Amino acid sequence: MMRGWRAIALTAVLAALASGAGTWISASWVLSRREPPSLHDIVHHDLKLSADQLSRIEVIEARFAARRPALEAAVRAANLELARAIEQSDGDSPQVQAAVDHFHMAMGVLQKETLGHVFEMRSVLTPEQADLFDARVVAALAPGEN
C-alpha cells in the first residue's frame, strides 16, 4: 500500500515540475516575442524632450493623426478592390493585376507619408536624441538584426 502512495506522490511531483517548466518556457517565449515599442513610446518615453521639442512634436503628431485615417482607408479600399477582383476572376487576370498595383500604390503612399512623419519628428531632436531615435526605429523595423 505504501508503494502506491509513493508512486502517486512521485507522479504528482513530476507533473508539477513539468507544468512549471512548461509555464516558464511559454512565458519566456511570449516575452521574447513582444511587440516593439511604438514610435509614440520611443519619442515620449525614451527621449528626454524639452518643453519646446514636446510642443513641436505634438503639432507634428496631430497633423499626421489627422491624415493617417484617410491613408489607411485608401489601403483598406484597395484591399477590398483586390478581394473583389479575385472573387470575380478566374485566375491572374488583368483586373487582379490592376487591383494589386492599386494596393501597392496605396501601401506605398502610406509608407512614404509615415516615413515623412518620422523624419519630420527627427528634425526636432538634438543629435544625441536623433542617434537614440534612429537606433530604436531601426530596431523596431528589423528586430533581432542588430
Side-chain angles (χ1 to χ4, degrees):
M1 183 70 173
M2 197 57 126
R3 273 188 132 166
W5 285 108
R6 281 187 196 168
I8 291 172
L10 180 60
T11 301
V13 167
L14 290 175
L17 288 173
S19 174
T23 301
W24 180 78
I25 291 168
S26 297
S28 296
W29 182 79
V30 167
L31 290 175
S32 72
R33 311 267 305 155
R34 70 179 196 265
E35 288 225 3
S38 70
L39 189 59
H40 181 86
D41 289 340
I42 292 168
V43 170
H44 291 277
H45 300 291
D46 295 351
L47 306 175
K48 292 177 178 32
L49 300 175
S50 69
D52 178 59
Q53 286 175 311
L54 184 58
S55 168
R56 292 169 61 196
I57 294 271
E58 287 173 349
V59 169
I60 294 167
E61 287 179 322
R63 187 171 45 247
F64 186 67
R67 178 83 179 110
R68 187 175 182 165
L71 296 168
E72 290 173 343
V75 170
R76 285 191 303 276
N79 198 41
L80 181 59
E81 177 186 333
L82 176 58
R84 297 289 183 250
I86 290 170
E87 183 178 60
Q88 296 170 3
S89 76
D90 205 20
D92 194 13
S93 67
Q95 293 81 9
V96 169
Q97 285 305 306
V100 166
D101 291 342
H102 182 218
F103 178 78
H104 286 165
M105 185 190 73
M107 282 296 297
V109 170
L110 173 61
Q111 188 170 34
K112 285 178 183 179
E113 290 207 25
T114 300
L115 285 172
H117 168 66
V118 167
F119 292 131
E120 186 179 10
M121 286 197 304
R122 186 184 188 282
S123 72
V124 172
L125 305 176
T126 66
E128 295 79 22
Q129 289 170 326
D131 287 344
L132 178 59
F133 179 80
D134 291 349
R136 297 287 165 81
V137 169
V138 168
L141 289 173
E145 294 296 318
N146 295 333

